[in-house]
Structures are given as structure tokens and as C-alpha cells.
């Protein structure tokens, strides 16, 4: 797709920038963020190794899970409260189930951000939107350290997008996130959501679901379609939403202009739902409806693309 090799250093640059900011601000003194720094270093290195040596998806998955599990145990940070999903009673989890659930969510977040990184600017854009929302909610609740850790990467990601999208004055200097970068961003978002919803109380757990709208709903849709087709969830295909939009004739830049606002809309629903105190049951039902609607559109786009390919073959 590109005439010359493109450096896969965007995510590493964001990681180094955040680590530098952590030391300058003193946030790294907090146990949770010190553990995050260690775990993120290992996960980012694992992603970089995958970029270089194309590691087995199974072993990469296992190693990621082990790193997250150790980080949760050492820091004491894991999902233990799912909120009022079942009505008036809090849905609580103990250490064992809560830690396992946290590992599953972390792996989902890491792989969701890896999968959404399919066209220029998409992973960076959706991450900035999510981090901005977390920054806002944490600032309003008084969780200034968490807000700082969510806001700082936005600046680094804006710089990354200048190069990745080759905006004016940056043409010919393209860089990609790489697996190291998308792994880091997925883990960072998960860590912030767990701190914000479980420790700081800045937002409810169901709000966190809306804040990772597009990456998560796209990953779940793709996994479900592969499972129904009898394939491995990690098998290669082109049924992600950005692939389907381009099959329908959109350029990568136009697909970005469709998907980034869509993700921003989902995030805004989460924001307004939190700030206006919408019921958790309503937000849960809404998230399920969005998931069903998104999966339906994904299937329809796939069918349309197949029909168009059939017509092209027939004319040929």
C-alpha cells in the first residue's frame, strides 16, 4: 500500500512521551501508576516484538493476559463493581472473578485498538476522543491525577496524527502506531476506565462501555461473525467496518470522516448519560441496541460488497 517502508514508531513515541510526563509530574509515585508503567513497558515491548517477528497470536494473547493479571494483583486495581445493571442492586464481584473479568476486558481493549488501527488516523482519533471524555469526567469529579494521565497522551497523539495523516508541512514523514502503539493505547484506556469507574468514582461502569464505543463494538461484531462462520476469532479477513466502507467506494480519508464522528457520538451519549444521571438500565439497553444495529449494518455492508463484486465479475 505504501511505496516505501513506513516507521512503526508512533505508539512508542506516545509511550515515551507519557512516561516522561509521569516522571516530571510526579504521578509515577502512586502505586497504581507505577504498576501501570511496568506493565505497559512489557506490553509495548511485546507489541514491538510482534511488529518485528510476527509472534503467534495465541502466545501473544497468553502473555498479555499474564501481564495484566500480575498488574491487577500487585496494584489491587481490578473491576469489582459493575454497577446497577440488574436494577436497584449493585452487581459486585470478588477478587477471583473480578480479576479474571478485568483480564478479559483488558485483552478485549488491547485487541480492539489493534483491530481498529486499519486506516490512517482512525486509532489515534478514536483514542483522543475517548481520552478527552475521560479527562473531562475525571476533572469534574476532582480526580486530577487521573485527568492528567488521560489528558497528556492527547497532546502526543495530536502530534502523531500530524505525521500519520501527512497533514500540511508533514508530507513525506508518515509514521504508523504499530502493534506496540495500539497495544499501549488499548491498555492505557482500560487502565484509565478501571481507575475512573472503580477507584475514583468519576463515572459508572456502564459509562465506560460507551466511552470505548467504536473499537469495542467493531471487535465484538467481527468476533461474532467469525464464530458463526466457524473461524477463529483471530483469523484474517476484511470485515472490519473500515474495510467494508472502502469496499463500498469510500477512500480511507472519507471512511475516517464517517467513523470518527460516529465514535464521538457514542462517547457523547456516555458523557451526557453520566452528567445527566441517566439510569444505568437505560444506558445498558441502549448499548445492546447499538451493538445489534452496528452488527446489522456490518452484515448489510458485507452483502452489498459481495453483490457488487459479483456484478463486476459478471461484466468481466
Amino acid at each position: 500500500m505504501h511505496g516505501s517502508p513506513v516507521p512503526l514508531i508512533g505508539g512508542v513515541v506516545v509511550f515515551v512521551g507519557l512516561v516522561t510526563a509521569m516522571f516530571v509530574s510526579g504521578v509515577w509515585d502512586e502505586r497504581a501508576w507505577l504498576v501501570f508503567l511496568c506493565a505497559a513497558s512489557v506490553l509495548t515491548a511485546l507489541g514491538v516484538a510482534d511488529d518485528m517477528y510476527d509472534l503467534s497470536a495465541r502466545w501473544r494473547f497468553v502473555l498479555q493476559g499474564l501481564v495484566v493479571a500480575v498488574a491487577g494483583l500487585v496494584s489491587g486495581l481490578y473491576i469489582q463493581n459493575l454497577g446497577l445493571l440488574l436494577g436497584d442492586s449493585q452487581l459486585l464481584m470478588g477478587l477471583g472473578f473480578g480479576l479474571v473479568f478485568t483480564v478479559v476486558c483488558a485483552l478485549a481493549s488491547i485487541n480492539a485498538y489493534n483491530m481498529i488501527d486499519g486506516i490512517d488516523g482512525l486509532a489515534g482519533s478514536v483514542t483522543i476522543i475517548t481520552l478527552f471524555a475521560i479527562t473531562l469526567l475525571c476533572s469534574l469529579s476532582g480526580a486530577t491525577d487521573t485527568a492528567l494521565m488521560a489528558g497528556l497522551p492527547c497532546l502526543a497523539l495530536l502530534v502523531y496524527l500530524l505525521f500519520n495523516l501527512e497533514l500540511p508541512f508533514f508530507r513525506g514523514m508518515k509514521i504508523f502506531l504499530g502493534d506496540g502503539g495500539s497495544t499501549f493505547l488499548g491498555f492505557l484506556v482500560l487502565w484509565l476506565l478501571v481507575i475512573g469507574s472503580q477507584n475514583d468514582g468519576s463515572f459508572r461502569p456502564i459509562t465506560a462501555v460507551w466511552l470505548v464505543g467504536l473499537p469495542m463494538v467493531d471487535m465484538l461484531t467481527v468476533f461474532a461473525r467469525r464464530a458463526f462462520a466457524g473461524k477463529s476469532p483471530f483469523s484474517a479477513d476484511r470485515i472490519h467496518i473500515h474495510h467494508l466502507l472502502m469496499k463500498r467506494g469510500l477512500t480511507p480519508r472519507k471512511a475516517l470522516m464517517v467513523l470518527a464522528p460516529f465514535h464521538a457520538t457514542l462517547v457523547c451519549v456516555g458523557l451526557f448519560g453520566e452528567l445527566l444521571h441517566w439510569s444505568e438500565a437505560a444506558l445498558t439497553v441502549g448499548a445492546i441496541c447499538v451493538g445489534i444495529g452496528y452488527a446489522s449494518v456490518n452484515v448489510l455492508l458485507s452483502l452489498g460488497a459481495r453483490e457488487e463484486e459479483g456484478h463486476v465479475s459478471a461484466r468481466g
Side-chain angles (χ1 to χ4, degrees), residues 7-200:
L8 305 175
I9 62 172
V12 176
V13 170
V14 175
F15 172 71
V16 171
L18 180 61
V19 170
T20 302
M22 287 175 65
F23 279 96
V24 171
S25 64
V27 174
W28 70 276
D29 282 334
E30 297 183 14
R31 183 182 183 86
W33 284 110
L34 182 58
V35 172
F36 166 81
L37 177 59
C38 296
S41 299
V42 176
L43 291 171
T44 302
L46 185 61
V48 172
D50 187 39
D51 284 327
M52 298 173 63
Y53 304 110
D54 194 21
L55 304 178
S56 161
R58 179 176 299 176
W59 281 108
R60 187 178 70 246
F61 203 67
V62 170
L63 291 173
Q64 289 172 344
L66 287 174
V67 172
V68 174
V70 171
L73 279 173
V74 174
S75 66
L77 184 67
Y78 62 94
I79 300 170
Q80 50 191 305
N81 184 356
L82 294 179
L84 302 173
L85 298 184
L86 302 180
D88 296 330
S89 300
Q90 296 278 349
L91 186 57
L92 302 176
M93 296 182 290
L95 173 60
F97 192 77
L99 188 61
V100 171
F101 185 71
T102 303
V103 170
V104 170
C105 290
L107 293 176
S109 181
I110 289 169
N111 286 279
Y113 276 83
N114 180 273
M115 291 177 176
I116 207 67
D117 187 27
I119 57 175
D120 290 346
L122 185 54
S125 297
V126 300
T127 306
I128 286 175
I129 294 167
T130 294
L131 292 179
F132 177 79
I134 295 173
T135 302
L136 178 61
L137 290 172
C138 290
S139 296
L140 292 174
S141 70
T144 54
D145 283 348
T146 308
L148 178 66
M149 294 304 297
L152 288 173
C154 291
L155 301 176
L157 283 168
L158 285 173
V159 175
Y160 158 74
L161 286 176
L162 295 176
F163 289 91
N164 180 242
L165 294 173
E166 293 187 283
L167 297 179
F169 306 109
F170 295 89
R171 301 195 187 283
M173 296 185 283
K174 179 182 286 293
I175 59 175
F176 287 151
L177 276 176
D179 283 347
S182 58
T183 297
F184 169 65
L185 293 181
F187 182 59
L188 171 65
V189 168
L190 182 281
W191 199 260
L192 287 165
L193 292 177
V194 174
I195 289 181
S197 65
Q198 305 296 311
N199 282 23
D200 297 341

